[in-house]
Amino acid sequence: MLTALARTATRRPLTVMLLWGLFLLLGFGLGTGVFARLSDNVPEVPGTESESAARYLDELDPAGSSITGVVAGTPVADAGLRAEVERAVADVRKVAGVAAVPDPYATPGMIAEDGRALIVPVTLEGGLDDDAEERTLDAAAERIREIDAPEVHVSGGPLLGLQMGERAAQDVKNAELISLPVVLALLLVVFGGLRSALLPLVVAVSGIAGAFLALFLFSEVTDISVYAIQVTTMLGLGLAVDYALLLLVRFREERRTTEDVVEAVHRTVAAAGRTVLFSGLTVAVSLTGLLVFPSVFLRSMGLAVAAVVVIDMLAALTLLPALLARFGGRIPPAKSPGNGEEEGRFFARVARFAARRKVAVLAVVVPVLLVLALPVAGMSIVVGDARQLPADSEARQLQDTVAAHFPPGTGVSPVVVVAKAGTDAATADRIRALAPGATTRELPGGGAVIEIRPPGEADGAEATALVERVREIRGDAPVEVTGTAARLVDFRQMLAERAPWSALTVLAGIVLLLFAFTGSVLLPLRTVVTTLLSLAAALGVVVWVFQDGHLAGLLGAEGLGALSITAPPLIVAIAFGLAMDYELFILARMREARLRSGDDREAVVTGLSRSGRVVTCAALLLAVVFAAFMTGGFSPILQIGLGLTLAVLIDATVVRMLLVPATMALLGRHAWWAPAPLRRVHDRFGLWEEQTELPPEKVPSGV
């Protein structure tokens, strides 16, 4: 199959390049429209109590969205400023789609006690379509910003989502401007030539276009999170470079033995293309675990990122062969085998050391990784608020200004209790008594809505405890709880219930793919265990930095007491797939060496010496891409970026250079073992690379 794909690409290289050129135009033209469709409604989970109660309220008593303006930095009692604010309030009330704007000077709680700030809340009409809502938001926000005061900020509600989308677009642009030149420079160091260095970037740009287009298409049928654009773009760029790097290194090796460029391309795709195919499949399978969760956010992220991985894989297996067929003759072959062995000598020495001192290596490395993983035991997640945004963003400035001038809890989303018709008065009274200042409003047709302001953050420990307390005392009464805290409680419960099934789905898929790749039963199990170790260590450091606040300032962040609700599931799913990516790079070389020599231990050393450089370079390139996306200062992306960077670097160095040879030496020839029935299945259905024929007596046992 892969050979046929390579022949098609090399037979019609200009046609293939033209088709990918059209794909690029589509991705950067139509696909970039996704930036206007991004949503910050991450914690909604269909079928949960919080979602059911919110839908009930929307149907029975539809209310419009709301935004908030804050005016600060000067005495708000000043006659001139008061006149300006009152004129602005009057003008905003006239904007089509605005339902209500209370007079901040006549409404209790709208003016700060220090007299240097006031709040202007704006409520929109219910039932507005997206275009009408956006026009209303723009007109209302712009009029408030025209108030002449030292500080005027407007955000909240749907405006927050739009601002986050704009910030995401700018961060992606900046990250690409930073990462692409650095990646090019590193590729120049790796290959020593501009042509060789540029080809992976061409494939990488295809990955970025694929990220935009995939997200745009998914946005037609589901909500796309504001976090999705950065995550998919960083992966689209990083994996495309990885796959192109692997194929280009193999192409230069094949050029040592043949002057026929097209034949070298065919051999490259027939051998290394198999690794790229399985790598793409393993990353995609790792992301299918997100489909087990009913969360729209997690499902859409899983589908979108998997689509980008497949696009990268196809670009590497079609576009790159076409480019090589057209321009590969100008790319010099790899150094002679002698020099190549010199290059791999460091990795060979490390592999031999780890194999000889296998018990000592395991006794040192495993405890270190477990210590790094310890903070995971205390991990907490929150929905998050504007504090996750950079300090120069308008939403963050609004929240900081309110926090500086108003009492704690001002503007915090309440815990919303829907007491449907039939709820007894005693139950309603007990719920209202849970916190001071609870308000009640009647619902059409009976029932009421009780809003309780939590003493801390909208998704803090006090708020979630309040939700759980309401659910405990309601008994059999028809009472449901919604709001930010309730959604977080339901999201956590959903994760706890579905995580085991998600893990089982991913592990089953990975084990099957690795068995098809290696023909071994023990290698997939060994791979999963070592990968989980590196993943837990990386996640532990993320918790230590962003939840506990250690060294967070070095990254332009702060300890928030919890991780973003988006970070842990995405770090786990994506990092697991990337680890499998490098595992396949190494196993492919080990297997080749084993089939040629028949020596199990020497195959491990040879495989690492031949793959160590490309895996290290690939990990470094991915780390550069992830680090570039961390320059935006958006806390969830910082968390995801740091987690993936650490996972990749730990996996490509500590795990692949030390744990892999140590565990392979510990298993010995049994590493490639499989029961006879499964061996026959693999002989019939497994995929094999083209190999030089070996005499029967030199074929390793179990092959």
Side-chain angles (χ1 to χ4, degrees), residues 2 63 127 174 200 309 382 429 523 534 539 550 571 616:
L2 292 175
N174 293 340
V309 171
V382 293
D429 289 341
L523 275 181
S534 64
L539 189 57
H550 302 290
I571 291 174
T616 303

Coordinates of all heavy atoms in Angstrom, one line a residue, residues 2 63 127 174 200 309 382 429 523 534 539 550 571 616:
L2 N 1.9 1.3 0.9 CA 2.7 2.5 1.0 C 3.6 2.6 -0.3 O 3.8 3.8 -0.7 CB 3.6 2.3 2.2 CG 2.9 2.4 3.6 CD1 3.9 2.2 4.7 CD2 2.2 3.8 3.7
A63 N -33.6 34.4 29.0 CA -32.9 35.7 29.4 C -31.7 35.9 28.4 O -31.1 34.9 28.0 CB -32.5 35.6 30.8
G127 N -33.1 35.6 22.9 CA -33.5 35.1 21.5 C -32.8 35.8 20.4 O -33.2 35.6 19.2
N174 N 1.8 35.0 16.5 CA 3.1 35.3 17.2 C 3.9 34.0 17.4 O 5.1 34.0 17.1 CB 2.9 36.0 18.5 CG 2.3 37.4 18.4 OD1 2.4 38.0 17.4 ND2 1.7 37.9 19.5
P200 N 10.8 20.0 5.4 CA 9.9 19.8 6.6 C 9.0 21.0 6.9 O 7.8 20.8 7.3 CB 10.8 19.5 7.7 CG 12.1 19.0 7.0 CD 12.2 19.8 5.8
V309 N -3.7 15.2 12.9 CA -2.7 14.2 12.9 C -2.8 13.4 11.6 O -1.7 13.2 10.9 CB -2.8 13.3 14.1 CG1 -1.9 12.1 13.9 CG2 -2.5 14.0 15.4
V382 N -10.4 23.7 37.8 CA -11.4 24.7 37.9 C -11.8 25.1 36.5 O -11.0 24.9 35.6 CB -11.0 25.9 38.7 CG1 -10.8 25.5 40.2 CG2 -9.7 26.5 38.2
D429 N -36.6 27.2 52.0 CA -36.1 28.0 53.1 C -34.7 27.5 53.5 O -33.8 28.3 53.8 CB -37.1 28.0 54.3 CG -38.3 28.8 54.0 OD1 -38.3 29.7 53.1 OD2 -39.3 28.6 54.7
L523 N 6.2 -6.2 24.5 CA 6.7 -4.9 24.2 C 5.6 -3.8 24.3 O 5.8 -2.7 24.9 CB 7.2 -4.8 22.7 CG 8.7 -5.3 22.6 CD1 9.1 -5.2 21.1 CD2 9.6 -4.4 23.4
S534 N 6.6 8.6 32.4 CA 7.0 9.9 31.9 C 5.9 10.9 31.9 O 6.0 12.1 32.2 CB 7.7 9.8 30.6 OG 6.7 9.4 29.6
L539 N 3.1 15.7 34.2 CA 1.8 16.3 34.8 C 2.1 16.8 36.2 O 1.6 17.8 36.6 CB 0.7 15.3 34.7 CG -0.7 15.8 35.1 CD1 -1.1 17.0 34.2 CD2 -1.7 14.7 34.9
H550 N 4.9 27.3 42.2 CA 6.4 27.3 42.3 C 7.0 27.7 40.9 O 6.6 27.0 39.9 CB 6.9 25.9 42.7 CG 6.4 25.5 44.0 ND1 6.8 26.1 45.2 CD2 5.5 24.5 44.4 CE1 6.2 25.5 46.2 NE2 5.4 24.6 45.7
I571 N -3.4 17.2 28.1 CA -2.0 16.8 28.3 C -1.9 15.2 28.2 O -1.0 14.7 27.6 CB -1.5 17.3 29.6 CG1 -1.4 18.9 29.5 CG2 -0.1 16.7 29.9 CD1 -1.0 19.5 30.9
T616 N 16.0 12.6 19.2 CA 16.4 13.8 20.0 C 16.1 15.1 19.2 O 15.6 16.1 19.8 CB 17.9 13.7 20.4 OG1 18.1 12.5 21.0 CG2 18.3 14.9 21.2

